[in-house]
Amino acid sequence: MASLSPQPRKLPADEEPADPKTALLTPPVPSPSSPSSPSPSRFLFAFLLVTTCISLAISSAFAFLLLTSNSKPVKEVARSLSKLPHPVVILISSDGFRFGYQFKTSTPNIHRLIRNGTEAETGLIPVFPTLTFPNHYSIVTGLYPTYHGIINNRFTDPVTGEVFTMQSHESKWWLGEPLWETVVNQGKKAATFFWPGSEVKKGKWSCPDKYCQHYNGSVPFEERVDTVLGYFDLPSNEMPVFITLYFEDPDHQGHQVGPDDPEITNAVAHIDSLIGRLISGLEKRGVFEDVTVILLGDHGMVGTCDKKLIYLEDLSPWIEIESEWVQSTTPVLAITPPSNVSLAEVVSKMNEGLSSGKIEHGNYLKMFLKEDLPTRLHYAASYRIPPIIGLLQEGYKVELKRSDNKECGGAHGYDNTNFSMRTIFIAHGPQFGKGRKVKSFENVQIYNVIASILKLKGAANNGSESFADNILLES
Ligand SMILES: [Zn+2]
């Protein structure tokens, strides 16, 4: 509009006006009569100006309405339940399902969930260390390992000297509040068909026989799926609202043969067939569209081989690392020297040796006092974490001494910024948008998402409060 208004034309500085009156020009219409009496042409000009302005204003308003109505998509909202009396979430973990495995072979069932659900487009980011127990427990508590206490698959409590293993079910090890506990504390039912920590009695969760399976890796995967489906045949007041389902594959194969082997492809196809079995069982019961199915993994996998080994015995010209100091070697090198040894000196001498160029692959390992680790790893605040931590580059391994053991396979546990450590997040259900892609996120966000779907008051955790609102459809 501004360009159409009769703006006074300012003369350039070097253009001297002949008459001061013409210095600022009003409409360039020569007026034969006196300036005080308005001429018909002036009326005409004003009339045209006003009508032009009005018509432009109207057309602009229409254009604005048209544009804004076209650019605003119809908002997808949560679907209401058609058969179930309450929301139900099935949380499925396929151990070691590296992001990208879903493209290794035809996976029609996984892709059905992707097509009609919401997916982390470039995968789910595990927590550090990218190991099975720390990550599974982060998924169900929303806490980093530092805060939920399971800082490794195996570790020693530095105060009591007791050793945590994957068979330790005493509640003292397992901090935080896992989802099954949140569910039963708020008067609802939960069921677990395996999940690290699920056999631990916490709060009102007592791992009851009816709803809690004690770990036995030899139970066929099909049987696990069928047991979960059976929960949907129970009367609604006995039906769990939260169910976990765990498969050891393709992690099992990944360790043996690495991520790029036909065995992995076969394992992925098997996982896909199990998802198909679950979907058709839910469909038969008429509840597939009502149930929220979240398919994820705990971490990825990277190939390892003998050529990528670092031996701690090679450091002896700089420092002698006693085997009793070493809590774990690969991929998290964790060292606890005796109290009379300076921690800072151990770190500096090890790094001096590793960066000297005289140690094979030394540049692929860097030692830290745990408080000096990058803060993004959240791996310092627990007293359970050993004081000295070594970060290995992906695919490298540490051993104390040279040996004749030769093996090539796969490993995980490395820095969670490595793309190879990513896994999948695929969610299908009434509150997940169809065919929606979201950015990669850390698995500590999942606790709040599930608590929100189940309308539970979640316990304090490391996830952000806004994340669930962003990923879920408005209900
Ligand atoms: Zn594993």
Side-chain angles (χ1 to χ4, degrees):
M1 294 301 283
S3 61
L4 289 165
S5 308
Q7 288 294 318
R9 183 179 71 93
K10 280 211 168 94
L11 288 170
D14 57 348
E15 199 177 322
E16 269 302 305
D19 179 342
K21 273 186 188 170
T22 61
L24 289 175
L25 292 176
T26 43
V29 184
S31 168
S33 52
S34 92
S36 60
S37 62
S39 66
S41 58
R42 278 205 159 186
F43 271 122
L44 182 66
F45 176 80
F47 173 73
L48 285 172
L49 190 69
V50 168
T51 49
T52 310
C53 283
I54 290 169
S55 55
L56 270 164
I58 292 168
S59 55
S60 305
F62 271 109
F64 175 76
L65 282 172
L66 199 71
L67 280 171
T68 50
S69 64
N70 274 355
S71 64
K72 204 174 181 180
V74 179
K75 200 175 179 188
E76 193 181 0
V77 292
R79 304 187 295 280
S80 50
L81 301 180
S82 62
K83 189 162 178 191
L84 287 177
H86 50 68
V88 177
V89 174
I90 306 176
L91 178 65
I92 309 166
S93 166
S94 173
D95 200 315
F97 199 112
R98 174 174 162 164
F99 179 79
Y101 278 3
Q102 68 270 35
F103 305 114
K104 271 191 181 287
T105 183
S106 166
T107 51
N109 300 297
I110 292 173
H111 275 87
R112 181 172 168 192
L113 297 181
I114 294 173
R115 208 168 44 247
N116 297 308
T118 297
E119 181 192 26
E121 193 167 19
T122 49
L124 178 65
I125 303 169
V127 294
F128 179 81
T130 52
L131 296 167
T132 297
F133 268 51
N135 272 279
H136 275 95
Y137 205 51
S138 285
I139 292 166
V140 294
T141 58
L143 295 168
Y144 291 111
T146 286
Y147 305 107
H148 67 47
I150 309 303
I151 53 117
N152 204 322
N153 286 340
R154 183 190 172 91
F155 58 91
T156 303
D157 185 306
V159 176
T160 64
E162 289 174 279
V163 178
F164 171 87
T165 71
M166 292 189 273
Q167 285 77 43
S168 300
H169 301 310
E170 302 90 354
S171 61
K172 65 182 176 192
W173 297 110
W174 304 80
L175 313 177
E177 185 180 298
L179 276 162
W180 44 80
E181 184 190 351
T182 306
V183 168
V184 297
N185 281 355
Q186 294 175 41
K188 296 177 183 185
K189 298 259 186 306
T192 54
F193 209 124
F194 304 160
W195 201 277
S198 62
E199 293 168 62
V200 180
K201 294 181 172 73
K202 276 175 78 68
K204 288 187 176 168
W205 175 253
S206 59
C207 185
D209 287 343
K210 185 175 174 182
Y211 295 109
C212 173
Q213 304 286 331
H214 294 274
Y215 185 69
N216 172 4
S218 64
V219 178
F221 293 172
E222 283 74 11
E223 194 180 317
R224 305 180 193 189
V225 172
D226 295 347
T227 304
V228 165
L229 288 169
Y231 293 133
F232 292 90
D233 301 327
L234 292 171
S236 66
N237 62 339
E238 290 177 38
M239 190 189 295
V241 300
F242 174 67
I243 303 163
T244 70
L245 178 56
Y246 171 79
F247 304 120
E248 290 84 350
D249 294 354
D251 182 73
H252 173 70
Q253 294 81 358
H255 283 289
Q256 293 174 334
V257 295
D260 299 305
D261 188 280
E263 266 195 58
I264 299 290
T265 310
N266 294 340
V268 168
H270 186 205
I271 295 294
D272 185 72
S273 77
L274 294 160
I275 301 303
R277 189 182 184 98
L278 180 74
I279 293 173
S280 66
L282 293 171
E283 278 181 325
K284 256 180 228 156
R285 290 164 175 84
V287 296
F288 175 55
E289 291 300 330
D290 281 3
V291 173
T292 298
V293 175
I294 299 177
L295 172 63
L296 48 71
D298 50 350
H299 52 69
M301 185 67 68
V302 69
T304 54
C305 222
D306 305 321
K307 288 173 193 152
K308 293 185 172 180
L309 282 171
I310 299 160
Y311 299 102
L312 293 182
E313 66 176 353
D314 291 353
L315 282 167
S316 59
W318 290 271
I319 183 168
E320 204 75 55
I321 304 293
E322 308 289 338
S323 61
E324 309 85 70
W325 301 5
V326 180
Q327 309 286 313
S328 66
T329 51
T330 297
V332 183
L333 176 59
I335 295 175
T336 309
S339 54
N340 61 343
V341 174
S342 158
L343 300 176
E345 204 175 309
V346 173
V347 170
S348 75
K349 285 192 170 167
M350 286 183 78
N351 281 335
E352 199 186 314
L354 291 166
S355 61
S356 67
K358 292 173 185 159
I359 290 182
E360 200 180 3
H361 307 307
N363 286 329
Y364 298 103
L365 171 64
K366 194 170 177 204
M367 304 307 299
F368 295 86
L369 288 172
K370 66 176 176 181
E371 56 269 27
D372 295 335
L373 282 168
T375 50
R376 61 180 173 75
L377 296 175
H378 307 278
Y379 203 63
S382 168
Y383 77 99
R384 293 178 181 177
I385 298 170
I388 297 173
I389 298 292
L391 288 186
L392 274 167
Q393 296 217 14
E394 60 174 341
Y396 283 84
K397 284 180 146 185
V398 171
E399 282 180 12
L400 295 172
K401 292 178 168 55
R402 284 184 166 70
S403 73
D404 292 333
N405 289 344
K406 297 285 171 199
E407 51 107 15
C408 280
H412 53 86
Y414 300 96
D415 190 331
N416 62 347
T417 52
N418 288 306
F419 200 78
S420 59
M421 294 299 106
R422 284 198 193 174
T423 180
I424 49 167
F425 176 89
I426 298 157
H428 181 284
Q431 277 188 261
F432 287 101
K434 276 184 194 276
R436 191 164 162 226
K437 308 289 178 201
V438 295
K439 282 187 192 164
S440 290
F441 57 88
E442 283 189 313
N443 64 19
V444 292
Q445 303 289 2
I446 292 168
Y447 177 92
N448 286 340
V449 173
I450 295 175
S452 176
I453 295 169
L454 298 178
K455 300 178 173 61
L456 299 168
K457 190 183 173 336
N461 66 80
N462 296 124
S464 77
E465 280 180 25
S466 59
F467 184 82
D469 295 337
N470 291 335
I471 199 170
L472 293 174
L473 299 175
E474 240 173 70
S475 52

